[in-house]
Amino acid sequence: MHDPTEQPPLVVHVVSQLDLGGMENGLINLITHMPAGRYRHAIVCLKDHGDYHAHIRERGVEIISLHKRDGKDLGHYLRMYRTLRKLQPDLVHTRNLPGLKGQLVAALAGVKLRVHGEHARDLCDLHGTRRRYRLLRRALRPLIGHFITVSAELRRWLIEHDGAEPERVSQIPNGVDSVQFHPRLGPPAAVGPAGFMQDNAFVIGSVGRMDEVKSHVTLVDAFLRLIASPHPAHQRLRLMIIGDGPMRAECQAMLSRAGAAHRAWLPGERTDIAQLLRAMDLFVLPSRAEGSSNTILEAMATGLPVVATNVGGNPELVHPGFTGILVPPCSPDLMAAAIADYCRIPEMGTRHGARARSQVIAHHSLPAMARSYLAIYDALASAAR
């Protein structure tokens, strides 16, 4: 039991950067749903942080950037060491491959309690098999008091490939705010540029950073195949991809070359994701690799059926024939066929979307997620005492 006269223990969360993204949103949700007064929090960003989560400072959360340069930047380890020595945290929680070496820095800085989270594999090691990173994880494993993964697939990977002891690896599913993300209550809002939405439009939507691993080009390819077909229902199709990144220009170019730019809207990063999800009829995640997608959970909470690739933690969220359809990665023809089913059979989407929201409410609440993290922090603190 924590003495209320003492200052709550400090947890320092080490992340690559604090931007608009699933892991970053998950961290903010965790901090805001932890019981008040149990732990204090600070966030250390290896690179920089935007202003998307500035509201978290109002809860007394300090956000520190180490300004790591691209490539090798040994100086950021010294900056991290000095930051940890200054903050004197009770526990350090690193995340993903970029934060892993922070475990060694935290140990050298005298931090006794150390947790590492795996939310998704790194872009340079999508399958977790590169020898260099495997050796790094094995070398640092003794320094880590406990591992947390967001999916059962990542938990199996840590145990089977990296030799982590099963009792030191916990799976905590991501949570989602089912109040903020709720089904639309009437006709869809008119979003996008003039002429994008029509009364009978069927909007295919996706949300995520537009880089190669998210493979939005596969979705664009599938969309172009559908609108090129003679089926009358396909003339209702519209495409909305929310997010920014290096592949956004390529996707826009594909649409322009096909003369379909007017039927698609790629507005870049947005902060009104909940409202835009309610303008969609189907959510599609075309990733080549995935941990446990927050955007899938947000779409399910919105009451949307989901077409997703059969990779990573997606099969743990999307149940084929019940809440959505799974397709192989990089298969635009099969993705197009799955989308066509929902476009042609609207009642199927209604059934699957309702089941998806029920699943989220039952198994992915934010308070339940926060309690699970709290239990691990408390157990490590008790064992240390």
Side-chain angles (χ1 to χ4, degrees), residues 252-297:
Q252 288 178 320
M254 290 173 64
L255 292 160
S256 296
R257 287 194 297 267
H262 64 290
R263 298 176 65 169
W265 184 42
L266 283 64
E269 289 185 347
R270 301 276 296 210
T271 57
D272 55 344
I273 301 299
Q275 292 87 340
L276 293 175
L277 283 170
R278 286 192 283 275
M280 300 175 188
D281 297 284
L282 173 68
F283 185 84
V284 181
L285 190 74
S287 304
R288 292 164 48 207
E290 199 67 55
S292 182
S293 170
N294 274 298
T295 55
I296 283 183
L297 290 175

Side-chain angles (χ1 to χ4, degrees), residues 45 67 72-73 77-78 90 118 130 152 170 182 192 194 207 224 229 255 277 303 312 334-335 348 353 381 385:
C45 305
H67 306 293
K72 291 185 178 180
D73 179 8
Y77 294 118
L78 179 59
D90 298 273
E118 288 288 349
R130 289 189 64 175
S170 296
H182 63 80
V207 178
L224 293 176
S229 77
L255 292 160
L277 283 170
L334 295 177
M335 181 167 287
M348 183 175 79
R385 286 195 294 269

Side-chain angles (χ1 to χ4, degrees), residues 302-316:
T302 307
L304 294 175
V306 176
V307 172
T309 46
N310 191 9
V311 298
N314 289 353
E316 300 171 34

